[in-house]
Amino acid sequence: MKELVLLGDEALALGALHAGVSGSYGYPGTPSTEILEYLVDEFETRGGPVARWCANEKTAYESALGVSFAGKRSIVTMKHVGLNVAADPFMNSSLCQIKGGLICVVADDPSMHSSQGEQDTRYYADFAMVPLFEPVNQQEAYEMVAEAFELSERLAVPVIMRMVTRLAHSRAVVHVADTARAQNALEKGSPADWMLLPALARKNYAKMLDKQTTLREWAKDYPRNTLALNPARKDLAIVTSGLGKNYLAENMAEYADLCGKEGLPSILHVAALPFPADLIRSLAEKVETILVIEEGMPFLERQLAGILPGRVKVIGKLTGSLPRTGELNPELVRAALGLPARATALDGFKMPALSARPPQLCKGCPHHDSYSALNLAVERLNAKEGKVSTVVAADIGCYALGAVAPLKAIETIVCMGASIGMARGAADAGYKYAFGVIGDSTFLHSGLTGIVDAVASKTPMTVIILDNSIVAMTGCQPTMLPSNQLEKAVIGLGVDPAHLRVIEAKPNMIEQNAAVFMEEAEHRGLSVIIMVRECLEAHRLRKKKESAAGEASK
């Protein structure tokens, strides 16, 4: 065994390599990005198994399914909201008889550090009736991958691994194997198991229902689902999942002192779903109250309330014992246990007033120049009409920072690709000038179909593609098509070439570009403007790479 210091994401990626993965796919999204970055680096620099970024989470999931159908092990990575995009193949794949092990790694983001919601992936696992693994530390993130692959192949089901931000982005020593498991042989699955024609899908759905009993038995005996009973404590028991176990452990010594001679209450840790109902019934037989400590939404708390007799009181996020939103931490758990707040070095220390540092675009970012031109055009269009006649819709990416001061250039941020559909809706509702602002990678992720709708309905609107040649927000991953292919793609979707404009986003062209926006806004059909200038960070990385390559060739 070797010892390595790894991020939780890196530990999981290395676990996949050591477990014999053959194909890995994903779309960048914090806090999941580093998983595939690790695997792509292994593929491109050391000849490891195939690992590729994809246009979106749906195509990534479908690629992983193809590897599984070929009999080999695959993983697909995404952040929590990405599973909404991949929901169609994910839900349907639960009815396929998975051949090679398939793990869908989803990283949730409690407290919304870089997300638009706190969505909890455990609900998706319950919805699809598939098992879910939830590591509590980097070592488990490494080891659980092999366990998840084995369960996936044994029961022919896709498996979810749920990560959360605090684990994904923290480092710890991980004990890893010296050698990797061999990859599976190339061997196709049975076509009847993978064709969801209604007659076959009905049979597969019945098979999936039959597997639930086996899955519940597996969950009861899964050794990471641990139950420590204390018959002397009738008043309280504790259920933890995910990082809730760590936060309880950090308070355990003082809590044991508080509990006195009767000892700690019974404790059940749920490391994997389906919910180990037999264990919880054993826990609850003679207990009056159960405290649930879980990261994310009150998923287990609701499950317990549904299966326990009414005499048992379940407390947690729904009852206010723990906060309903945001991340947990040791102090919040401490309060729920009835322990006094810890004294810290900050007690009595008066923090000096700090100036606010709102998120903003990088200095010199091309999006700043694009939005400055758009703001100028919007101001003039509204003045010309004598009333507010413009709507500017955007979505997820660096350019979303155009919402904050001093630019305040956009009015909506909902999800990947929503800008185009929402601009179309605003135009249909009666706004004369509707703009949809979208990044180059987001356009390839979810914007193409919105363009098709607008072409079909001849909607009078202007789509602005901010092309900085990279997926900048998540750390400069490549876009699926280079900049010089975007124009062809737009024309191929049916946009009139006369109303496709490609312009540069430069500070000395703001007046000129605003004039282009106004011209195309007056067109009573669909127009598309591609604003091109490389992301400064991508430019720096590219130059550094080129310099290193030049030095190596000398």
Side-chain angles (χ1 to χ4, degrees), residues 389-391 420 422-436 453-463 499 520-528:
S389 301
T390 59
V391 167
I420 298 177
M422 290 187 70
R424 181 189 181 212
D428 287 346
Y431 276 94
K432 184 173 181 180
Y433 306 115
F435 295 94
D453 285 351
V455 167
S457 57
K458 298 181 174 58
T459 304
M461 58 182 275
T462 302
V463 173
H499 292 283
E520 292 304 330
E522 295 292 357
H523 171 54
R524 295 298 84 197
L526 174 64
S527 56
V528 176

Side-chain angles (χ1 to χ4, degrees), residues 198-275:
L200 296 174
R202 282 191 286 271
K203 292 179 180 176
N204 284 351
Y205 184 56
K207 290 179 183 176
M208 190 59 181
L209 292 177
D210 289 343
K211 291 174 187 174
Q212 297 309 302
T213 302
T214 306
L215 280 169
R216 286 192 291 271
E217 285 297 314
W218 167 83
K220 183 185 69 173
D221 298 328
Y222 181 52
R224 296 187 196 272
N225 286 337
T226 55
L227 174 60
L229 287 171
N230 178 3
R233 290 289 300 266
K234 310 295 184 188
D235 58 324
L236 180 70
I238 297 175
V239 173
T240 63
S241 80
L243 299 198
K245 180 181 181 181
N246 293 345
Y247 300 140
L248 175 63
E250 290 195 35
N251 290 297
M252 194 63 88
E254 287 180 75
Y255 188 49
D257 291 341
L258 180 70
C259 292
K261 62 181 181 182
E262 288 193 343
L264 291 166
S266 301
I267 299 173
L268 169 65
H269 176 65
V270 179
L273 301 176
F275 189 68

Side-chain angles (χ1 to χ4, degrees), residues 381-400:
L381 289 168
N382 285 330
K384 171 175 163 290
E385 295 295 314
K387 61 180 181 179
V388 175
S389 301
T390 59
V391 167
V392 181
D395 44 36
I396 311 297
C398 284
Y399 51 95

Side-chain angles (χ1 to χ4, degrees), residues 249-467:
E250 290 195 35
N251 290 297
M252 194 63 88
E254 287 180 75
Y255 188 49
D257 291 341
L258 180 70
C259 292
K261 62 181 181 182
E262 288 193 343
L264 291 166
S266 301
I267 299 173
L268 169 65
H269 176 65
V270 179
L273 301 176
F275 189 68
D278 289 344
L279 295 182
I280 189 62
R281 289 193 183 96
S282 300
L283 178 73
E285 275 181 357
K286 296 179 181 178
V287 175
E288 297 167 359
T289 302
I290 293 178
L291 169 64
V292 182
I293 304 172
E294 56 186 322
E295 190 69 285
M297 294 179 173
F299 176 80
L300 292 182
E301 193 177 341
R302 285 199 175 105
Q303 293 254 350
L304 291 183
I307 67 171
L308 296 181
R311 64 169 182 77
V312 179
K313 183 179 180 183
V314 180
I315 60 175
K317 295 190 170 190
L318 289 174
T319 61
S321 299
L322 290 162
R324 179 69 177 81
T325 64
E327 284 185 298
L328 292 181
N329 61 47
E331 290 306 308
L332 294 171
V333 171
R334 188 177 179 82
L337 296 172
L339 291 168
R342 279 197 182 98
T344 72
L346 294 177
D347 290 345
F349 177 74
K350 189 175 181 181
M351 289 286 289
L354 299 174
S355 56
R357 297 181 59 193
Q360 57 186 328
L361 294 169
C362 301
K363 187 174 289 186
C365 173
H367 297 337
H368 194 285
D369 301 318
S370 299
Y371 279 136
S372 295
L374 179 58
N375 278 349
L376 189 57
V378 165
E379 180 184 346
R380 290 174 178 173
L381 289 168
N382 285 330
K384 171 175 163 290
E385 295 295 314
K387 61 180 181 179
V388 175
S389 301
T390 59
V391 167
V392 181
D395 44 36
I396 311 297
C398 284
Y399 51 95
L401 296 173
V404 298
L407 290 166
K408 296 184 177 179
I410 58 178
E411 299 170 272
T412 72
I413 304 169
V414 176
C415 66
M416 299 284 276
S419 58
I420 298 177
M422 290 187 70
R424 181 189 181 212
D428 287 346
Y431 276 94
K432 184 173 181 180
Y433 306 115
F435 295 94
V437 182
I438 190 167
D440 50 343
S441 179
T442 313
F443 174 67
L444 296 171
H445 178 287
S446 298
L448 295 162
T449 47
I451 292 283
V452 172
D453 285 351
V455 167
S457 57
K458 298 181 174 58
T459 304
M461 58 182 275
T462 302
V463 173
I464 302 169
I465 302 175
L466 302 182
D467 177 11

